[in-house]
């Protein structure tokens, strides 16, 4: 029975309320509108001005453990549970991913009481023709006026609102905030109520995961091997930077009387194809091809091994072909071990006419310097700072990777999705800073399909980040670590100032929570570096 338009505005809402709908199956694991949370800058990797170095530890933006008051607000603002006419029965079942299924049985006494309350509310608020507002209306007339189905809808919602806090009371100290979902279909609940005057429904809730260390307390005796790229060696890097700056002061001149030698710059066309005895299987290698490529021979160690050696002596206008095997360490996996034939056309050949490297160039190399020695020292100090930061970052990454291997944890789905959304949002924001996306492109990248695909493809990485986060948080608690309150206050103020500077919205409580997590992470990493046995090797 439909309500006529003249009276519908005076009646209570007959469909499940917005807060209740959010707990029903249609949105139990929905990723609809996943990007609403990324209207502000995420704090996946805060820069700590009070710390000796920047930490890129992705501390969790996942739900915190809910208190009794945190679990119930969607249904009631009361901190104390409302007394029911009879006890409800709740059966708890452990499920995968640190979740619980609660099977709830609501007896007739509770359902009858909820029915009475709903009818009283309808009587109070309905304007039934022939009856004064608020006056008692015979139930048969009220049911005919409002509609039996509409009343049953309202009663089931009332039962859920009253009983859900009771059903959750035994797990509120373990439940993760915003992870509670009613997994029973509303239509099924209606059918049960209409046929039995009782109600049965099921809830799924994620709980704080337990962490298991293997071995127990293994984090206290970490043995870490840190691989350092030789590019970050301060002395080597400073010499390369000096060479780069010196080269920038030179002039390129055309080579006319000899072939290519180290130090020259050649403009070349490159083509490549696979070598296969079966000529029908020969394929070009597009990623290895280039037109008008400016090849600086001093960067020969950065190209395919053997490429430079094969070109030494080539003259302008000459074409040279040679075979090369891609090494097993090549960054493109599909080319590793592939035998290829390269064809290179040398279109132009230049040498650098460089000024003598002495004190007279100091000011041009670095403004404010007066001697070449001062230039070298300044560059070395800057590269030493870069080396120190890179070394610390590589150490932190190695420690976090080791922690990830040492912990076992059953990750709740809500934590996985939250962390995945944060990482995806961070990547999208980075992309926006590099490429101006249209509204259509942004909408496509923000769609549930795009986010779901990211969660699927990056499952391993997301899981690793969460395990690292949980491990770090556990160590912070186990070792009773603390950090100065003033550090927290200062970093929160700095973060909020940054939001305001970019005219972005923010949640101060969330900012404080994430800043605290990052400070905790920095403290744990500092402690682990001091207690770990660390070996550095250069690759």
């Amino acid at each position: 029975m439909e309500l006529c338009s003249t009276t519908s505005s005076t009646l209570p809402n007959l469909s499940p309320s917005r807060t209740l709908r959010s707990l029903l199956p249609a949105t139990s694991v929905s990723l609809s509108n996943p990007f609403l949370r990324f209207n502000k800058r995420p704090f996946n990797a805060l820069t700590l001005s009070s710390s000796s170095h920047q930490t890129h530890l992705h501390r969790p933006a996942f739900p915190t453990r809910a208190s009794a008051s945190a679990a119930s607000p969607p249904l009631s603002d009361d901190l104390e549970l409302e007394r029911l006419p009879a006890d409800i029965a709740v059966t708890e079942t452990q499920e995968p991913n640190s979740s619980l299924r609660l099977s709830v049985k609501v007896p007739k006494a509770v359902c009858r009481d909820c029915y009475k309350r709903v009818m009283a509310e309808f009587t109070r608020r309905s304007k039934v023709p022939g009856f004064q507002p608020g006056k008692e209306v015979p139930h048969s007339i009220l049911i005919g006026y409002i509609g039996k189905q509409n009343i049953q809808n309202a009663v089931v919602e009332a039962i859920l609102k009253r009983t859900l806090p009771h059903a959750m009371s035994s797990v509120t100290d373990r439940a993760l905030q915003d992870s509670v979902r009613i997994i029973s279909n509303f239509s099924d609940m209606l059918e049960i109520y209409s046929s039995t005057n009782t109600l049965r429904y099921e809830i799924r809730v994620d709980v704080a995961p337990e962490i298991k260390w293997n071995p127990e307390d293994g984090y206290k005796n970490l043995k870490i091997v840190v691989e350092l790229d030789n590019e970050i060696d301060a002395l080597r890097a400073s010499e390369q930077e000096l060479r780069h700056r010196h080269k920038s002061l030179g002039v390129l001149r055309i080579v006319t009387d000899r072939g290519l030698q180290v130090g020259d710059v050649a403009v070349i066309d490159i083509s490549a194809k696979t070598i296969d005895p079966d000529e029908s299987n020969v394929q070009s290698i597009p990623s290895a091809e280039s037109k008008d490529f400016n090849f600086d021979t001093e960067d020969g160690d950065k190209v395919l091994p053997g490429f430079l050696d094969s070109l030494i002596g080539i003259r302008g206008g000459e074409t040279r072909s040679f075979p090369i095997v891609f090494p097993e360490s090549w960054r493109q996996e599909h080319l590793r071990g592939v035998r290829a034939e390269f064809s290179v056309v040398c279109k132009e050949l230049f040498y650098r006419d460089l000024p003598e490297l002495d004190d007279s160039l100091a000011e041009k190399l670095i403004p404010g310097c007066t001697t070449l020695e001062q230039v070298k020292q300044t560059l070395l100090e800057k590269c030493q700072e870069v080396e120190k930061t890179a070394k610390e970052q590589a150490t932190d990454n190695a420690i976090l990777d080791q922690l990830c291997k040492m912990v076992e944890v059953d990750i709740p789905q809500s934590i996985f999705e939250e962390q995945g959304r944060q990482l995806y949002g961070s990547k999208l924001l980075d992309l926006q800073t590099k490429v101006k996306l249209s509204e259509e492109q942004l909408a496509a990248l923000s769609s549930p399909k795009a986010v779901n695909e990211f969660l699927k493809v990056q499952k391993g990485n997301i899981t690793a980040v969460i395990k690292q986060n949980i491990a770090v948080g556990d160590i912070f608690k186990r070792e009773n670590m603390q950090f100065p309150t003033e550090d927290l206050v200062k970093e929160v103020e700095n973060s909020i100032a940054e939001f305001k500077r970019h005219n972005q919205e923010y949640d101060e409580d969330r900012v404080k929570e994430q800043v605290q997590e990052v400070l905790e992470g920095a403290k744990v990493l500092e402690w682990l570096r001091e207690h770990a046995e660390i070996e550095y090797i250069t690759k």
Side-chain angles (χ1 to χ4, degrees), residues 238-502:
S238 65
E239 292 173 348
Q240 288 181 335
E241 180 62 20
L242 177 60
R243 176 62 179 166
H244 174 74
R245 296 189 181 209
H246 185 208
K247 285 172 17 178
S248 69
L249 300 178
V251 177
L252 289 177
R253 301 191 186 281
I254 298 176
V255 174
T256 58
D257 57 350
R258 61 172 175 79
L260 179 73
Q261 54 188 25
V262 175
D264 293 342
V265 176
V267 179
I268 57 179
D269 289 346
I270 308 170
S271 59
K273 60 183 179 180
T274 59
I275 296 177
D276 196 306
D278 183 358
E279 294 185 0
S280 63
N281 290 331
V282 172
Q283 298 178 341
S284 63
I285 308 176
S287 60
E289 299 181 348
S290 182
K291 294 288 186 182
D292 296 324
F293 176 63
N294 289 324
F295 178 43
D296 188 339
T297 55
E298 291 191 353
D299 294 332
D301 59 339
K302 298 179 181 178
V303 296
L304 190 64
F307 185 84
L308 173 59
D309 292 339
S310 299
L311 288 181
I312 293 297
I314 192 173
R315 291 175 174 266
E318 182 184 345
T319 299
R320 186 174 291 186
S321 297
F322 47 88
I324 286 183
V325 178
F326 285 86
E328 294 297 332
S329 59
W330 194 246
R331 58 185 175 275
Q332 294 169 299
E333 293 184 12
H334 70 284
L335 291 178
R336 293 174 183 174
V338 172
R339 298 181 70 247
E341 182 178 353
F342 281 77
S343 180
V344 176
V345 179
C346 181
K347 303 173 76 172
E348 294 181 277
L349 192 58
F350 301 91
Y351 72 93
R352 286 192 176 88
D353 187 3
L354 298 176
E356 185 176 353
L357 187 61
D358 55 24
D359 291 348
S360 65
L361 295 181
E363 175 67 25
K364 294 180 180 179
L365 293 169
I366 296 182
C369 291
T370 57
T371 67
L372 184 59
E373 186 61 34
Q374 190 178 4
V375 169
K376 292 180 178 179
Q377 186 61 33
T378 301
L379 289 177
L380 180 60
E381 290 175 355
K382 290 183 177 180
C383 290
Q384 285 173 337
E385 292 178 5
V386 173
E387 179 185 30
K388 179 176 181 292
T389 300
K391 187 174 182 179
E392 289 175 340
Q393 187 61 63
T395 303
D396 288 349
N397 290 340
I399 289 174
L400 291 172
D401 288 343
Q402 186 68 11
L403 292 181
C404 186
K405 297 174 183 177
M406 298 174 66
V407 297
E408 298 177 11
V409 60
D410 196 19
I411 299 173
Q413 184 65 20
S414 58
I415 290 181
F416 176 82
E417 291 180 4
E418 179 73 7
Q419 185 68 68
R421 289 192 189 102
Q422 279 230 342
L423 293 176
Y424 187 71
S426 180
K427 287 182 178 294
L428 184 56
L429 288 175
D430 288 342
L431 179 61
Q432 283 180 287
T433 61
K434 298 174 183 177
V435 181
K436 187 170 180 61
L437 300 173
S438 66
E439 290 187 6
E440 292 77 11
Q441 290 173 318
L442 186 59
L445 290 172
S446 305
S447 68
K449 181 180 178 181
V451 178
N452 273 323
E453 183 63 22
F454 177 82
L455 295 180
K456 179 181 178 181
V457 173
Q458 294 294 323
K459 181 178 180 180
N461 292 334
I462 296 170
T463 299
V465 169
I466 295 172
K467 290 176 69 176
Q468 292 167 1
N469 292 336
I470 294 175
V472 167
D474 191 57
I475 294 171
F476 189 87
K477 294 177 181 178
R478 284 176 174 235
E479 299 301 324
N480 297 314
M481 296 183 188
Q482 295 180 343
F483 52 81
T485 303
E486 53 267 27
D487 287 357
L488 177 62
V489 173
K490 179 181 178 182
E491 294 301 334
V492 169
E493 290 175 348
N494 291 342
S495 300
I496 290 177
E498 185 175 352
F499 277 124
K500 291 181 177 179
R501 187 162 54 250
H502 292 87

Side-chain angles (χ1 to χ4, degrees), residues 189-221:
M189 291 187 281
L190 276 172
E191 183 177 348
I192 293 172
Y193 170 72
S194 63
S195 60
T196 67
N197 286 326
T198 63
L199 190 65
R200 294 191 306 273
Y201 62 93
E202 292 191 335
I203 307 165
R204 180 171 288 124
V205 58
D206 290 339
V207 295
E210 296 182 0
I211 183 171
K212 179 181 179 182
W213 288 92
N214 186 19
E216 181 66 23
D217 291 336
Y219 67 87
K220 294 183 178 181
N221 302 294

Side-chain angles (χ1 to χ4, degrees), residues 1 16 38-39 75 92 115 125 162 167 170 178 243 247 250 262 304 427 453 466 468 479 483-484 506 521 523:
M1 174 180 179
F38 296 123
N39 291 333
L75 303 174
E92 182 179 308
Y115 173 82
R125 297 182 58 181
R162 288 186 69 186
S170 63
D178 300 328
R243 176 62 179 166
K247 285 172 17 178
V262 175
L304 190 64
K427 287 182 178 294
E453 183 63 22
I466 295 172
Q468 292 167 1
E479 299 301 324
F483 52 81
Y506 63 91
K523 192 73 175 179

Side-chain angles (χ1 to χ4, degrees), residues 70-120:
S72 57
L75 303 174
S76 172
D77 292 329
D78 298 329
L79 294 180
E80 294 185 2
L81 295 177
E82 178 188 2
R83 184 180 297 276
L84 297 176
D87 292 333
I88 62 174
V90 181
T91 303
E92 182 179 308
T93 305
Q94 184 70 46
E95 299 216 324
N97 304 119
S98 294
S99 66
L100 297 175
R101 185 174 75 248
L102 305 180
S103 301
V104 184
K105 295 182 179 180
V106 184
K108 289 183 179 180
V110 176
C111 295
R112 281 197 300 267
D113 192 60
C114 290
Y115 173 82
K116 291 177 182 178
R117 292 189 178 197
V118 168
M119 295 302 290

